[in-house]
């Protein structure tokens, strides 16, 4: 029969730690879902999610080495969540860029063709209509210039919406960098074939370094916060759970 101290130290405390860790990893879930529904990343800072992937990967690896179920379940859900967070962040960064690019392109289009909107009073124009029905667009003197002008505008607008542009998502580079470090560490150890204790030592050191970056990652926008005097990019629930 295990004593009370053994139960508390070996089961209760690890279980509480497991629960707290999962609450911490799930802290951004609501805001990320809201950002996805709105189609914009907004003020969310995705850097902690990239570091979170490396952190969970390291601790899961360490849990295999020491055969600790509590450590595994404290990080496995976090790894799964971090993958989704990172995918959402890259997608939303692309959406934000394309939204800005589209607005800029349309403004340039309208500005370049602003004279086309100075139509005479007798002309009727419906951009969403059928341009083949020219009689609806004829001016008083039967001039087809309005039809041709707006046909050109609609064609140009369609070309803007279908334009192919680069799709940079800076967050992808951060995620790839973190994953590369862990692939390099685990691969190197596998090829060198150290004993289990050496595995524990190396993985333990690297994952604790990663953990320090994870705790500090929400402050990666500190210069923006100080410059704009706006702390909305620092996720309060994540900081609270940490």
């Amino acid at each position: 029969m295990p004593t009370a101290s053994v139960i508390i130290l070996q089961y209760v405390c690890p279980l509480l730690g497991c629960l707290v860790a999962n609450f911490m990893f799930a802290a951004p879930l609501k805001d990320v879902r809201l950002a996805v529904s709105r189609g914009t990343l907004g003020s969310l800072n995705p850097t902690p999610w990239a570091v979170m992937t490396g952190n969970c990967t390291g601790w899961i690896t360490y849990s295999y080495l020491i055969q600790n179920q509590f450590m595994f379940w404290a990080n496995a859900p976090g790894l799964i969540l971090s993958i989704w967070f990172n995918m959402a962040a890259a997608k939303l960064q692309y959406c934000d860029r394309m939204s800005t690019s589209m607005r800029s392109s349309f403004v340039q289009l309208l500005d370049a063709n602003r004279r086309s909107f100075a139509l005479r009073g007798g002309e009727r124009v419906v951009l969403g209509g059928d341009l083949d029905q020219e009689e609806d667009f004829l001016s008083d003197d039967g001039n087809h210039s309005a039809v041709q002008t707006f046909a050109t505008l609609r064609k140009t607008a369609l070309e803007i919406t279908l334009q192919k542009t680069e799709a940079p998502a800076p967050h992808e580079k951060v995620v790839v960098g973190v994953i590369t470090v862990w692939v390099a560490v685990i691969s190197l150890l596998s090829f060198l074939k150290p004993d289990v204790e050496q595995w524990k030592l190396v993985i333990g050191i690297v994952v604790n370094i990663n953990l320090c970056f994870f705790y500090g990652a929400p402050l990666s926008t500190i210069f923006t916060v100080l410059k704009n005097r706006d702390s909305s990019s620092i996720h309060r629930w994540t900081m609270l759970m940490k």
Side-chain angles (χ1 to χ4, degrees):
M1 182 69 179
T3 62
S5 61
V6 171
I7 294 175
I8 293 174
L9 294 176
Q10 295 187 12
Y11 296 98
V12 177
C13 290
L15 180 60
L16 291 176
C18 180
L19 293 175
V20 171
N22 281 286
F23 280 124
M24 177 179 66
F25 295 140
L29 181 59
K30 181 179 179 180
D31 291 315
V32 174
R33 292 180 62 185
L34 182 61
V36 171
S37 67
R38 291 177 175 175
T40 177
L41 191 59
S43 61
L44 288 175
N45 175 21
T47 302
W49 308 334
V51 187
M52 174 176 160
T53 300
N55 179 74
C56 293
T57 300
W59 287 117
I60 289 174
T61 304
Y62 196 76
S63 72
Y64 292 152
L65 295 173
I66 65 174
Q67 292 294 294
N68 189 301
Q69 289 280 344
F70 292 109
M71 184 175 293
F72 174 82
W73 290 111
N75 292 277
L79 178 60
I80 296 171
L81 283 173
S82 71
I83 293 173
W84 182 71
F85 291 159
N86 290 318
M87 291 174 63
K91 175 173 61 177
L92 292 173
Q93 281 187 341
Y94 172 75
C95 288
D96 286 341
R97 177 180 174 83
M98 287 302 299
S99 177
T100 302
S101 176
M102 290 285 289
R103 286 196 299 266
S104 176
S105 297
F106 272 112
V107 168
Q108 292 175 8
L109 169 65
L110 296 176
D111 185 60
N113 296 274
R114 60 186 180 276
R115 293 184 179 180
S116 300
F117 295 95
L119 301 177
R120 290 180 288 276
E123 295 173 340
R124 293 184 299 147
V125 178
V126 182
L127 283 176
D130 185 359
L131 293 180
D132 293 333
Q133 299 176 357
E134 296 182 356
E135 65 274 15
D136 291 338
F137 297 90
L138 292 176
S139 58
D140 294 336
D141 58 359
N143 194 334
H144 290 69
S145 60
V147 176
Q148 295 172 353
T149 299
F150 278 88
T152 302
L153 282 175
R154 191 169 75 167
K155 180 181 178 182
T156 306
L158 181 61
E159 290 176 351
I160 289 175
T161 59
L162 297 178
Q163 63 181 334
K164 294 181 179 180
T165 60
E166 60 177 346
H171 186 66
E172 293 176 345
K173 298 179 181 179
V174 181
V175 176
V176 171
V178 172
I179 295 299
T180 299
V181 170
W182 277 106
V183 170
V185 170
I186 295 175
S187 299
L188 186 62
L189 289 174
S190 298
F191 291 132
L192 293 178
K193 297 181 180 180
D195 58 36
V196 176
E197 293 302 319
Q198 291 175 322
W199 266 88
K200 292 180 182 178
L201 176 63
V202 175
I203 295 296
I205 292 173
V206 177
V207 76
N208 275 285
I209 294 174
N210 196 143
L211 184 63
C212 292
F213 281 103
F214 177 56
Y215 285 149
L219 299 178
S220 60
T221 58
I222 190 64
F223 294 108
T224 302
V225 171
L226 295 176
K227 180 180 179 180
N228 299 331
R229 297 183 179 181
D230 180 11
S231 62
S232 59
S233 61
I234 299 178
H235 196 261
R236 292 173 175 79
W237 281 109
T238 301
M239 292 295 293
L240 179 63
M241 294 306 298
K242 289 181 178 181

